[in-house]
Amino acid sequence: MNVKQRTLNSEITISGVGLHTGKHATLVFKPAPVNHGYKFKRIDLAGQPTIDADVDNVSDTSRGTTITQNGASVSTVEHLLASLVGMEIDNVLIEIDGPEVPIMDGSALIYVEAIENAGYKDQEADREYYEIPHNIHYTEADRKVEMVAMPLDGYRFTCMIDYNSPVLGSQHSAITSISEFKKEIASSRTFCFLHELEMLLEHNLIKGGDLNNAIVVVDKDVSKDELKHLAKLFNREDIDVAREGILNNIKLRHQNEPARHKLLDMIGDLALVGRPLKGHIMAARPGHAANVAFAKKIKAQINREKNKKYVRIYDPNMTPVYDTAQIMKILPHRQPMLMVDKILELTKTHVVGLKNVTMNEDIFMGHFPNEPLFPGVLQIEAMAQTGGILVLNTVPDPENYITLFLKIENARFKAQVKPGDTIIFHCSLLQPIRRGIAQMKGVGMVGEKIVVEAELMAQIVKIKEEIKEQ
């Protein structure tokens, strides 16, 4: 049975102080359409730039996870993202009026409770899990970090920490289903060692800490004077060392709360892969930098598999959906700018087109005449025209419309295309067409080799309207 994507049933507003910056911020969680994923919007900055929660946007992992895009950043995103994954929310826009997500009580509990109160609603599209196909390993020998994602029809997570600390010892935490997140993991708070706390205080790096949002592990002998000094810094009457070897500012919610929090962090960091996961993930001694590197490795595997989807050999002589004459009835282009010879496949969400590259084309008279190559910009044009067939297929009387480029992103040219080659273009919608705007992923192949790929955005425009504007 397919599981539907989910978004929030209503908006959520949460305010608090950032742990590291000490700056107050208000978050507004807003319902979002299918395939939107998690996005942050810095509404306090000019232009209100948006930041995708994507591992490719990670800019810092030194004190939590920071993501940066469009000239804007949001830091300490991991607890918030973990709460969304743990509550199985797929699409949400988070408006924030500051540079850092509030630390709240150091866990994900307040976010989880707010999401639960708002409720969720199922959406029309199915949730697209990424099922781990084979063991994916990540190691850091110097830090003794080991991570592996293994195939499993479900979601299981096992985490081990070991800091060579007589107080913490070696701790384990595990869940066998994401449904256990709320009860077993969400309330686990962040932790640090006393020597780290003193260093952070010395460098003024925890401006939002108040000793109510972190477990402080006492890993050294500490004098009464030092404890009095800490109490003064955090506006407390007194602080002492509890029997468990932690400062008595708070009581442990779980005996292995630090290990549970590391699992929480990792769930949040792996949300940056961009897809809900199915698999068993085991991690020893994880940290934000390692989590992000592991997430990048998983995303790279996803991208390799995406590309393989297009590795299908089409027979150029198969009966086309549209031949050249039929294509000319839809597209306004004519020689030498008509770049599509046949449409081999056409559905509501994707199209497959064919371009025969021949030596007698005008372009080769001037473009490297002694070493003829089909130009990359014309490969993109041919890809766009193929996508244009898909887009124009959604309107009545397509001959009265044209498609105009709005944006080209992530274009890559991976191999030379020469006269005699046949390029097969596969274009698929990244999301449903709205208000005449289409976003597509295009891949061009010669045989089994990808030669070009790009993400395209185009707009459907009525020809008469375009002429009138000009």
Side-chain angles (χ1 to χ4, degrees), residues 23-35:
K23 293 185 177 179
H24 186 276
T26 297
L27 301 172
V28 180
F29 295 64
K30 294 191 170 184
V34 297
N35 300 322

Side-chain angles (χ1 to χ4, degrees), residues 269-339:
D269 286 334
L270 290 185
L272 298 168
V273 168
R275 296 265 297 276
L277 302 176
K278 277 191 177 182
H280 183 185
I281 294 165
M282 300 183 70
R285 305 171 188 87
H288 292 298
N291 295 347
V292 167
F294 188 43
K296 286 184 176 180
K297 204 163 185 181
I298 295 173
K299 186 179 177 183
Q301 177 64 31
I302 293 173
N303 288 338
R304 282 193 292 271
E305 291 181 23
K306 270 185 185 176
N307 290 338
K308 285 182 180 178
K309 286 181 183 178
Y310 306 109
V311 180
R312 174 180 164 188
I313 305 302
Y314 288 86
D315 178 7
N317 298 315
M318 66 187 288
T319 303
V321 178
Y322 296 139
D323 59 22
T324 305
Q326 292 167 312
I327 289 170
M328 290 174 67
K329 291 180 180 178
I330 301 172
L331 295 180
H333 309 287
R334 295 295 180 265
Q335 298 298 340
M337 288 305 295
L338 182 62
M339 298 286 169

Side-chain angles (χ1 to χ4, degrees), residues 16-25 63 75-76 98-103 204-210 213:
V17 174
L19 174 62
H20 302 294
T21 62
K23 293 185 177 179
H24 186 276
R63 293 177 291 126
S75 60
T76 323
E100 184 180 9
V101 173
I103 189 64
N204 200 27
L205 293 176
I206 49 170
K207 300 172 184 176
D210 65 358
N213 48 31

